[in-house]
Structure formats: C-alpha cells, structure tokens
Amino acid sequence: MHDRVWVVIPTYNEAANIDGIVRAAGEELERLAPDSHHILVVDDNSPDGTGAIADRLAESNPRVEVLHRPAKSGLGHAYLAGFARALAGGAELVIEMDADFSHDPRYLGPMLEAAGEADLVLGSRYVPGGGVEDWGIVRRMISRGGGLYARTILGVPVNDLTGGFKCIHRRVLEAIELETVRAEGYVFQIEVTYRAVLAGFRVVEVPIVFRDRTVGTSKMSTRIALEAMWAVPLLRRSAPAAVAPARTPASAIETPRDG
Ligand SMILES: Nc1nc2c(ncn2[C@@H]2O[C@H](COP(=O)(O)OP(=O)(O)OP(=O)(O)O)[C@@H](O)[C@H]2O)c(=O)[nH]1
Ligand SMILES: [Mg+2]
C-alpha cells in the first residue's frame, strides 16, 4: 500500500529544527493519517549537517525519508524534486511545509480536513483568524504589499498567494506542468497557486498564524523578494499556456441540480 499523505520539508541549514519538526509533524500525522503518511526531507547538502540528522531520523522511522541534493539550488527546485518523489511514491495529498516551525504542525489537521472539499488548500495568514507573529513593520509591509501586488496583477481572488504551507491534491500537481514552473522563493508559491486557479481547481484558504523562526537563519533574500516584482507580470503570459493542456477537473464542472 502506498502512503496517501506526504509532507515535504525542504531544508537548508536547519540542524537546530529538523529533529523537532519531523517529530512534531510525525505525531500529528500519526493521529490524522495513521498508517498512511510519509515525511520527505529535501536537503541541499546543508553544511551544518541537517542531512545527516535527517538520515538518522529516517533510520529509526520508516515513515521518514530523505532526498539528498548535491548543492543549494533554491526552494522551488527542492519542492519540484520533492513533488516528483512523492508522486512516484503514490502520494494522493502533498503538503508543503517549512522546517523552521513558522508553519505549525497543528494546522495539518484543519488543512487535511479542508482537502476533503478542495483541490488546493492554502494555509493563509490573510484571512480572518490568520495572522503573523513577531514580524517587524518592514517585513509585514513587504509581505502584504507583495501579496496585494501579485493578486492585483494576476487578478485572482486569493488572499495569501505567497505562503508556503499548502496541501495539494495529486491531480493538481499532474495538471499544472511542473517542469516549467519558475523556480524560486515567493514566485514559486505564487505560480503553483496561480496555475491551479487557471486550471479550474478549487482553492480554499485555511487560517494559520505564522510565527517567525526562533532558531536558524532565514534564507530569504532581497533578491528573491525583488524577483517577484518583474516575475509576477510574466506569469500572466507563461502560466495560461502551461495549464492549457490540462484536463478540465471534475471540481470545476457544476453538478446539475435535480428538477
Ligand atoms: N532544500 C532547500 N531548502 C531551502 C532552500 N532555501 C530555503 N530552504 C528551506 O525552505 C524553508 C523556508 O525557508 P526560510 O529561510 O525559512 O524562508 P522564509 O520562511 O521565507 O523566511 P523566514 O521567515 O525568514 O524564515 C526552510 O525550511 C528552509 O530551510 C534551498 O535552497 N534548498
Ligand atoms: Mg521561514
């Protein structure tokens, strides 16, 4: 039997977090999807030894697996490799989650529940009940401003386009031509969601409170944030072509009512 739920955790220098996050996610999943979950750590040869710690976790827990990549090549590439592995392993639901506890594993329950109705579930900071803790005014403004910018340019009714805590149905990943998805930071997150919307999939936002990391260092850079400025308008041209060959998802077809 294949495991149905795969949580993909990309890591780069998360030695202080990896043990805790894998255990915390594992405990939740043990409750939510007993006997049918898998945790995939995608490590880009972290110099701080994250990969070796993850290997030890995998040795003692058959539900944990590590994908080692030779060098740091960005969050998007790590996720694409993780998605490919999860799909090959038979995943029906793939969850994107950071290693730094910004994405609290306690939201896995509400997200999996929402996935019963939706094709793509977004852990959303910008719907009622969601929020951000510990961020200064500058970081808040960049996040809100960037999200609003992308939402306006792309014209999609999604409140949190840049978030990285998602639960994605297999059918979505198969329909959005992953091999041509742009490959970094916020733009990666925006593009996956935008393509899913364009393909007619049902997107639901579940409120999450995002906490700033308490240990380890951020890999987010000004360059990655600025990339969004010019890359988002380009998505308007590239994304529709990428999803055009996708079949019409069943969820987009209205069921005729009786009578
Ligand atoms: N494999 C891999 N993982 C990465 C890479 N860059 C970031 N990550 C991981 O992706 C997740 C998100 O990265 P963060 O540095 O926390 O970025 P962020 O959450 O946008 O920024 P902060 O709020 O400052 O933490 C973390 O688990 C990182 O370890 C990369 O190039 N390769
Ligand atoms: Mg983070």
Side-chain angles (χ1 to χ4, degrees):
M1 267 296 279
H2 292 308
D3 289 326
R4 204 173 69 83
V5 179
W6 282 57
V7 174
V8 180
I9 306 178
T11 55
Y12 191 76
N13 285 349
E14 300 287 1
N17 287 313
I18 188 65
D19 184 83
I21 195 72
V22 167
R23 283 175 202 281
E27 274 170 30
E28 286 295 314
L29 291 165
E30 213 40 74
R31 205 166 49 75
L32 299 163
D35 307 322
S36 199
H37 62 272
H38 215 79
I39 299 176
L40 178 67
V41 177
V42 184
D43 185 67
D44 280 4
N45 202 9
S46 298
D48 73 350
T50 302
I53 300 171
D55 279 339
R56 284 200 294 279
L57 291 166
E59 273 162 31
S60 61
N61 183 348
R63 300 211 166 273
V64 179
E65 184 176 325
V66 190
L67 186 61
H68 294 279
R69 291 157 49 79
K72 179 164 170 37
S73 56
L75 186 65
H77 281 114
Y79 267 128
L80 292 177
F83 293 165
R85 172 68 199 109
L87 293 177
E92 284 302 323
L93 293 170
V94 179
I95 297 174
E96 291 186 9
M97 195 171 102
D98 287 357
D100 57 7
F101 283 95
S102 287
H103 299 157
D104 192 325
R106 75 188 159 96
Y107 295 120
L108 289 170
M111 289 176 73
L112 283 171
E113 200 185 319
E117 297 282 304
D119 301 301
L120 170 62
V121 179
L122 306 177
S124 179
R125 297 160 292 182
Y126 305 128
V127 292
V132 172
E133 274 177 14
D134 317 317
W135 274 4
I137 183 79
V138 174
R139 185 85 200 246
R140 278 174 199 269
M141 279 169 61
I142 290 173
S143 177
R144 279 316 277 259
L148 207 60
Y149 171 76
R151 181 189 156 112
T152 308
I153 297 236
L154 300 176
V156 290
V158 174
N159 296 292
D160 194 343
L161 271 170
T162 54
F165 198 8
K166 301 181 171 174
C167 178
I168 317 168
H169 268 272
R170 176 186 196 92
R171 54 182 174 267
V172 176
L173 294 175
E174 286 175 341
I176 62 172
E177 202 182 277
L178 289 172
E179 53 291 1
T180 59
V181 167
R182 285 199 40 82
E184 277 204 64
Y186 297 123
V187 180
F188 175 81
Q189 302 300 354
I190 295 168
E191 180 150 32
V192 167
T193 297
Y194 182 46
R195 287 188 180 195
V197 172
L198 288 180
F201 288 111
R202 174 141 194 256
V203 180
V204 164
E205 294 184 85
V206 165
I208 63 157
V209 175
F210 179 102
R211 269 176 303 152
D212 206 3
R213 62 162 72 241
T214 51
V215 281
T217 52
S218 173
K219 281 101 226 167
M220 202 35 72
S221 64
T222 314
R223 185 179 65 78
I224 289 176
L226 287 177
E227 180 198 26
M229 291 296 289
W230 57 263
V232 168
L234 296 182
L235 294 182
R236 281 182 51 167
R237 213 171 31 197
S238 62
V243 299
R247 65 181 167 72
T248 307
S251 60
I253 302 167
E254 291 293 326
T255 318
R257 291 180 193 283
D258 288 340

